[in-house]
């Protein structure tokens, strides 16, 4: 609009009417109005097309048509300036048609005067400016990512912006006039009633709500409500702004779950260390007695001891595995083969009421992993699925190639961009209650009846998957089943190693230094090694070990040292030994499979590790591998002095 004049164009084929109108303009209190005149329909169209006027006055009766037709033509040309229709006498039908066509106002010439004409023109301009501002604001509302809607006090939806279309899935044409509560909520709940009461009484409300999308998905939003009042100050509608928090809440839940797992893992680690120190001498003593006591009763009792000690050691490992992961032999594996083995077990051992199906990509990628551990993962998940389908159902195992991009990686704390194998185990069983989903991976937590499960299966699954660089998602609905999604990083193709089982070689009087603060472990380890033709020195702490090694370093072949000891711990002991002899051969021993102490030993260059409790066979194999890493024959060493 021109800053100097408000330009008004009069379209009227009667010059006398123009003169009269000009005189009225001269009486206007505001002198910024400037009137121009055209007398014909065609000339008016040309003037409108020039788009240089701020207001138009159209006489209804023109020589080549009428003002109503000209009004429609002007709107079709894209005229945005206000148009006022002037009629010679009141005609209700003409007035209604004019307003429908887009007229800003209509005035009867017989009742017209300078004050009324000035007010009408000024009102038309102000209203057009207000409409323009509203359109600008509406455009801003449409570009925001927040969902903005206006609903009446009776919950009818009056406004629905583009953000709401994107978040909830409904187009505005589908929801305008619909009941917001019926559309967006599964059911009305007490908190919703409190929110409505609060916004009416206080004028605003803010909080988190769970709402439904068009697809039936439940999302979490931060919802802000503002009461809108009419010109009389009475409540007429509620403005709602919703921000999607679903992704944020999922990540927060994962973070809190990871923190809880870490706390439990820290507690379990301390207990496991002491338990393994107790179990280690019991296991090795029982195995030694088996070789010395041959009567049936002793053999039976010792077998029970060995079996239960191994069971206890396995339980300890399972407790640790959920948080700290498991170390194992990594080879290139084809998951398809593991699934085939699992399917055979299912067919042979699961109830016939359970139907099983597999769905595997033809060109499935490989993974780098431990075959035994991944087999355990699949077996645990399938057994849980079986137990969830007491009356029968369907068990489906699928494996697919999947590339996780940056957007998908953001949805899980442990995901990274790159290729994965997605292994899915789905059942149609009873499902898991939503309040229990966050706890199913905790050790000793179980949804099964007393005596039907230890609560360690899923914690072991999580530990194994984490140690392979993967992660797990779970989806479950009561009465409809559960789906576990295991994501494992894909690897390059390669041939897996074939491991042969063999008895460890006996020693040839090599001297072994045992360092452990537990007397029982020192004694039974010494006895086991001596019976296998090794010579042994023992030390109860790191200081004593360093003293002995400094005295006999040329005769000591391997040092077997615990990682957690008083006075001087394992890593410090190893560093002191390396100062005496950089080539010293060390086996690091720990009751914690992936403890910080073992990591520290690895940083010192130590590559040989032994987990407590260990069997005699494991001990001898580890010593042989350390003495002769390339597998050459044992050299002959001269006899050691009898003082050992």
């Amino acid at each position: 609009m021109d800053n100097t004049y408000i330009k008004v164009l009069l379209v009227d084929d009667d010059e006398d009417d123009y003169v009269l109108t000009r005189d009225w303009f001269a009486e206007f209190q505001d002198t910024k109005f400037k009137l121009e005149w055209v007398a014909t329909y065609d000339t008016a169209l040309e003037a409108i097309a020039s788009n240089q006027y701020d207001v138009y006055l159209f006489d209804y009766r023109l020589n080549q048509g009428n003002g109503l037709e000209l009004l429609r033509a002007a709107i079709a040309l894209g005229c945005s300036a206000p148009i006022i229709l002037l009629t010679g006498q009141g005609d209700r039908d003409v007035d209604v048609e004019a307003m429908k066509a887009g007229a800003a106002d209509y005035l009867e010439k017989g009742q017209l005067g300078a004050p009324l004409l000035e007010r009408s023109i000024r009102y038309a301009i102000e209203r057009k400016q207000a409409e323009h501002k509203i359109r600008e604001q509406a455009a801003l509302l449409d570009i925001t990512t927040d969902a903005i809607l206006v609903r009446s006090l009776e919950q009818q939806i009056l406004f629905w912006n583009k953000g709401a279309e994107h978040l909830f899935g409904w187009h505005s044409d589908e929801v305008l006039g619909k009941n917001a509560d019926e559309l967006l909520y599964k059911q009305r709940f007490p908190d919703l009633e409190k929110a409505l009461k609060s916004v009416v009484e206080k004028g605003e409300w803010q909080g988190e709500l769970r709402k439904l999308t068009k697809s039936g998905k439940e999302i979490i939003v931060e919802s802000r409500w503002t009461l809108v009042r009419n010109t009389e100050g009475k409540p007429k509608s509620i403005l709602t702004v919703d921000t999607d928090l679903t992704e944020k809440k999922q990540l927060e839940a994962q973070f809190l779950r990871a923190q809880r797992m870490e706390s439990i893992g820290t507690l379990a680690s301390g207990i496991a260390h002491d338990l393994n120190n107790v179990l280690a001498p019991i296991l090795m003593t029982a195995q030694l007695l088996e070789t010395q006591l041959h009567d049936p009763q002793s053999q039976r009792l010792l077998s029970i001891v060995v079996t239960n000690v191994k069971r206890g050691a396995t339980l300890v490992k399972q407790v640790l595995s959920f948080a700290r992961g498991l170390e194992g032999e990594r080879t290139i594996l084809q998951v398809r083969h593991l699934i085939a083995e699992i399917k055979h077990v299912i067919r042979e051992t699961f109830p016939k009421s359970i139907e099983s199906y597999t769905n595997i990509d033809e060109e499935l990628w490989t993974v780098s992993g431990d075959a035994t551990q991944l087999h355990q993962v699949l077996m645990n998940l399938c057994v849980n699925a079986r137990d969830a389908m007491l009356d029968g159902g369907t068990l489906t195992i699928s494996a697919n190639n999947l590339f996780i991009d940056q957007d998908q990686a953001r949805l899980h704390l442990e995901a990274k961009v790159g290729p994965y194998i997605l292994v899915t185990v789905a059942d149609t069983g009873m499902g898991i209650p939503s309040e229990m989903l966050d706890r199913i991976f905790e050790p000793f937590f179980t949804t099964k009846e007393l005596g039907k499960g230890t609560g360690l299966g899923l914690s072991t699954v999580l530990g194994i998957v984490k140690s392979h660089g993967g992660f797990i998602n779970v989806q479950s609905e009561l009465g409809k089943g559960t789906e576990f999604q295991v994501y494992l990083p894909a690897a390059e193709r390669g041939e897996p190693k074939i491991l042969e089982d063999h008895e460890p070689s006996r020693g040839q009087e090599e001297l072994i230094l045992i360092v452990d603060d537990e007397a029982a472990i020192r004694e039974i380890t010494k006895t086991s090694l001596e019976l296998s033709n090794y010579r042994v020195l023992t030390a109860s702490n790191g200081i004593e070990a360093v003293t002995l090694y400094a005295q006999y370093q040329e005769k000591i072949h391997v040092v077997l040292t615990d990682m957690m000891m008083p006075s001087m711990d394992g890593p410090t002991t190893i560093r002191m030994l390396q100062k005496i002899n950089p080539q010293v051969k060390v086996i690091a021993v720990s009751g914690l499979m992936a403890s910080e102490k073992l990591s520290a030993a690895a940083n010192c260059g130590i590559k040989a590790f032994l987990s407590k409790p260990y069997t005699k066979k494991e001990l001898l194999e580890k010593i042989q591998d350390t003495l002769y890493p390339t597998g050459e024959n044992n050299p002959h060493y001269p006899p050691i002095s009898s003082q050992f």
Side-chain angles (χ1 to χ4, degrees), residues 450-498:
L450 186 63
K452 296 285 184 70
T454 63
L456 290 171
L458 287 179
S459 67
T460 303
V461 166
L462 178 62
I464 293 173
V465 172
K466 285 173 62 178
S467 72
H468 283 73
F471 60 96
I472 303 177
N473 281 338
V474 186
Q475 298 176 357
S476 186
E477 188 173 347
L478 283 178
K480 294 187 177 180
T482 302
E483 180 177 289
F484 283 86
Q485 298 172 330
V486 178
Y487 295 79
L488 298 170
E492 296 293 332
R493 290 183 178 274
E495 294 299 324
K497 296 180 180 179
I498 300 176

Side-chain angles (χ1 to χ4, degrees), residues 34 62 190 197 216 251 310 312 323 369 397 479 500 519 561 597:
K34 181 179 179 181
L62 297 173
K197 183 179 180 181
L251 291 174
K310 287 183 176 180
I397 308 173
E500 297 181 359
T561 180
K597 300 296 183 182

Side-chain angles (χ1 to χ4, degrees), residues 45 90 191 235 301 389 428 451 554 596 631:
L45 286 177
D191 287 347
L301 294 176
M389 296 185 289
T428 57
E554 294 181 359
E596 293 78 3

